[in-house]
C-alpha cells in the first residue's frame, strides 16, 4: 500500500524494508515500466526536483539510470565528482582544504536539493569493510532529505531490486524459482561483494529457492548469510551454500555467476589486507566460468543474469552472454524502472 510514510525515507539497504514494502516498490516499478512502454510521460511526478549523485567509483548503469530516471520524472540528476568538490570525508579521515566533513556536506546539499545518492566502496575507504556503509549512514543521519545507496561495500540495493524485478518479469512469480548466485573467475580481484549479497537477500526475502555457490575462500559476510537463512524461513523459500559449481548448477532457473573478492582483501580485523593471497584463490578457480557446457547443466529454460559490467571470456563466454538465455539487458533496463519507483515514492 502506498502511503505518506514513504516520503523522505532513505534507501540504504534492502534489510531496512519489509517484504510488503519491497512488493509495493515492485508494483510501482512495473506500473511505471508499463506506462513508459505505452508512451506516457512521468514528468509530472518530480518536477523541479534535484537528485545529487556522488560517485567515488566508476559507473555506467547506475549513473545513467539515475540521471535518465530523474529526467523522465521531470527533475534533474546532478553529478558530483568527489575529487572536484571537497571530498566528503568522515571525522578522522579529513585533509585540510581537500575534504569536507560528511555532516557538513549532507546539511549543505539538504538546503539545495531533494535527495543525495552515493556510491562508495574499496579504495576510497581503504578496503575497510563496512566503512563505506557507515559513511552512507552518516550522510543519512545529517541529511534532511533521502539518502540513496548506489552501492557500498555491503549492499547494492538498487541492483538487487533490478535483479528481482527481472526474475518476476521472466517467471511471473518468486515461489519455486531456483535462483543460483555463483562466484565466477575474473582476472581482477578488486570486485566488491555488494551485488551477490544484495541478490541473495532479496531472493530469499521474496521466497525463491536460493543457492549461493563459491569456491572455498570466497565466503560472503556471515551476517548476510544468517539474514538470508532467516528470510528463507519467513518467506517459505530456501537457502543453501554449495562449493561445487557443477553441482550447484543442476536444475537452476536463474544462473547468476559473477566475481567478487575474498574477505582477506579487506583490512583487519575483518580481513588480512592480502591481495596476493586473494589472487592465488582466484587463480585456483579459473574453471568457474559460465560457458555453454555449464549453462546446459541448469534447467532447459534457465535465464543467465549478470549485473554488468562482465569480464567476457573469464566470468562468461560470448555465446552465453549474447545467447538466447541471456537477460542481462532486460536486467540493466530494470535498474531504471526500480529506481524511478523508489525516487517517486521517497522524493515526493
Ligand atoms: N551494475 C552496476 O552497478 O553497473 P555500474 O557499475 O555500471 O553502475
Amino acid at each position: 500500500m502506498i502511503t505518506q510514510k514513504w516520503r523522505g525515507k532513505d534507501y540504504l539497504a534492502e534489510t531496512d524494508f519489509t517484504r510488503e514494502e519491497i512488493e509495493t516498490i515492485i508494483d510501482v516499478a512495473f506500473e511505471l515500466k508499463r506506462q513508459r512502454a505505452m508512451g506516457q510521460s512521468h514528468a509530472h511526478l518530480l518536477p523541479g526536483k534535484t537528485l545529487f549523485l556522488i560517485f567515488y567509483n566508476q559507473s555506467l548503469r547506475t549513473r545513467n539510470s539515475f540521471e535518465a530516471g530523474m529526467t523522465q520524472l521531470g527533475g534533474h540528476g546532478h553529478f558530483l565528482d568527489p575529487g572536484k568538490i571537497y571530498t566528503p570525508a568522515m571525522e578522522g579521515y579529513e585533509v585540510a582544504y581537500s575534504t569536507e566533513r560528511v555532516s557538513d556536506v549532507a546539511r549543505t546539499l539538504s538546503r539545495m536539493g531533494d535527495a543525495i545518492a552515493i556510491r562508495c566502496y574499496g579504495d576510497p575507504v581503504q578496503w575497510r569493510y563496512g566503512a563505506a556503509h557507515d559513511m552512507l549512514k552518516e550522510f543519512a543521519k545529517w541529511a534532511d532529505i533521502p539518502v540513496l545507496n548506489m552501492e557500498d561495500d555491503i549492499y547494492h540495493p538498487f541492483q538487487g531490486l533490478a535483479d528481482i524485478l527481472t526474475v518476476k518479469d521472466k517467471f511471473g512469480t518468486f515461489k519455486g524459482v531456483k535462483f543460483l548466485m555463483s562466484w565466477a573467475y575474473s582476472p581482477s580481484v578488486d570486485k566488491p561483494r555488494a551485488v551477490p549479497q544484495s541478490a541473495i537477500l532479496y531472493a530469499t526475502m521474496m521466497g525463491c529457492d536460493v543457492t549461493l555457490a563459491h569456491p572455498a575462500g570466497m565466503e560472503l559476510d556471515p551476517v548476510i548469510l544468517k539474514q538470508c537463512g532467516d528470510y528463507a524461513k519467513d518467506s517459505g523459500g530456501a537457502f543453501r551454500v554449495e562449493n561445487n559449481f557443477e553441482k550447484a548448477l543442476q536444475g537452476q532457473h536463474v544462473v547468476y555467476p559473477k566475481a567478487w573478492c575474498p574477505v582477506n582483501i579487506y583490512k583487519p580485523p575483518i580481513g588480512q589486507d592480502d591481495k596476493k593471497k586473494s589472487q592465488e584463490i582466484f587463480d585456483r578457480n579459473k574453471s568457474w566460468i559460465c560457458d555453454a557446457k555449464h549453462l546446459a547443466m541448469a534447467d532447459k529454460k534457465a535465464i543467465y543474469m549478470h549485473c554488468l559490467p562482465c569480464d567476457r571470456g573469464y566470468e562468461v563466454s560470448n555465446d552465453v552472454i549474447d545467447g538466447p538465455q541471456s537477460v542481462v539487458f532486460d536486467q540493466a533496463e530494470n535498474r531504471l524502472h526500480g529506481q524511478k519507483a523508489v525516487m517517486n515514492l521517497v522524493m515526493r
Side-chain angles (χ1 to χ4, degrees), residues 83-137:
K84 295 283 189 290
I85 55 177
Y86 307 97
T87 310
M90 295 284 271
E91 186 175 359
Y93 293 89
E94 293 160 294
V95 178
Y97 206 46
S98 171
T99 66
E100 184 164 1
R101 192 170 288 190
V102 164
S103 56
D104 297 341
V105 179
R107 283 177 288 183
T108 301
L109 295 179
S110 296
R111 300 291 182 99
M112 298 170 184
D114 304 282
I116 306 169
I118 304 151
R119 164 170 285 194
C120 186
Y121 55 78
D123 288 330
V125 284
Q126 306 86 39
W127 289 92
R128 292 174 293 120
Y129 185 71
H133 189 64
D134 286 346
M135 186 169 77
L136 266 73
K137 287 198 287 190

Side-chain angles (χ1 to χ4, degrees), residues 7-317:
R7 182 180 294 162
K9 267 179 102 73
D10 302 312
Y11 206 80
L12 299 183
E14 50 278 26
T15 49
D16 297 337
F17 294 83
T18 63
R19 178 177 175 170
E20 186 193 354
E21 288 168 334
I22 299 293
E23 282 171 347
T24 296
I25 295 168
I26 292 172
D27 286 348
V28 175
F30 281 133
E31 182 65 9
L32 293 173
K33 183 174 182 174
R34 191 187 64 78
Q35 289 171 353
R36 182 166 158 77
M38 300 289 285
Q40 289 180 31
S41 168
H42 296 140
H44 60 289
L45 293 175
L46 296 179
K49 301 251 180 181
T50 299
L51 170 69
F52 296 111
L53 298 142
I54 305 176
F55 279 96
Y56 288 81
N57 311 85
Q58 60 210 4
S59 169
L60 175 73
R61 281 140 290 270
T62 305
R63 176 176 175 179
N64 290 294
S65 52
F66 269 108
E67 288 195 13
M70 276 307 289
T71 303
Q72 290 168 24
L73 292 166
H76 173 62
H78 192 116
F79 177 78
L80 296 169
D81 176 349
K84 295 283 189 290
I85 55 177
Y86 307 97
T87 310
M90 295 284 271
E91 186 175 359
Y93 293 89
E94 293 160 294
V95 178
Y97 206 46
S98 171
T99 66
E100 184 164 1
R101 192 170 288 190
V102 164
S103 56
D104 297 341
V105 179
R107 283 177 288 183
T108 301
L109 295 179
S110 296
R111 300 291 182 99
M112 298 170 184
D114 304 282
I116 306 169
I118 304 151
R119 164 170 285 194
C120 186
Y121 55 78
D123 288 330
V125 284
Q126 306 86 39
W127 289 92
R128 292 174 293 120
Y129 185 71
H133 189 64
D134 286 346
M135 186 169 77
L136 266 73
K137 287 198 287 190
E138 186 72 3
F139 263 100
K141 178 180 159 190
W142 291 98
D144 300 323
I145 54 180
V147 174
L148 312 180
N149 181 354
M150 297 194 293
E151 185 173 7
D152 64 28
D153 41 13
I154 304 179
Y155 306 100
H156 195 349
F158 289 105
Q159 180 63 54
L161 181 58
D163 297 343
I164 52 160
L165 284 169
T166 308
V167 171
K168 190 76 192 286
D169 249 349
K170 301 299 173 189
F171 296 98
T173 181
F174 296 112
K175 193 89 202 132
V177 173
K178 293 183 190 302
F179 183 103
L180 171 64
M181 181 78 237
S182 171
W183 185 84
Y185 173 73
S186 159
S188 152
V189 301
D190 303 273
K191 296 235 163 124
R193 43 191 33 215
V195 167
Q197 294 190 159
S198 279
I200 59 176
L201 282 168
Y202 276 105
T204 50
M205 184 197 284
M206 302 316 292
C208 295
D209 177 349
V210 179
T211 301
L212 171 68
H214 58 74
M218 298 305 311
E219 290 77 17
L220 294 177
D221 185 336
V223 174
I224 301 288
L225 302 186
K226 160 89 174 56
Q227 182 68 69
C228 288
D230 292 347
Y231 278 153
K233 267 192 214 126
D234 284 353
S235 65
F239 180 61
R240 71 177 174 122
V241 180
E242 172 62 62
N243 292 132
N244 181 305
F245 187 38
E246 298 196 353
K247 254 197 212 165
L249 283 158
Q250 307 298 323
Q252 297 290 342
H253 300 125
V254 175
V255 176
Y256 192 165
K258 83 167 295 296
W260 64 78
C261 63
V263 73
N264 52 17
I265 202 170
Y266 291 100
K267 291 267 192 301
I270 295 290
Q272 295 148 16
D273 194 13
D274 191 341
K275 198 162 171 174
K276 192 162 163 273
K277 191 166 170 192
S278 307
Q279 190 67 59
E280 282 165 13
I281 300 173
F282 265 57
D283 292 345
R284 276 203 299 274
N285 293 291
K286 289 186 179 173
S287 62
W288 288 61
I289 174 173
C290 191
D291 54 14
K293 178 191 92 174
H294 283 123
L295 190 58
M297 294 176 187
D299 187 81
K300 271 205 300 285
K301 292 187 178 161
I303 57 171
Y304 166 78
M305 291 178 61
H306 195 292
C307 59
L308 302 177
C310 70
D311 290 321
R312 284 174 178 255
Y314 299 104
E315 292 178 292
V316 60
S317 59

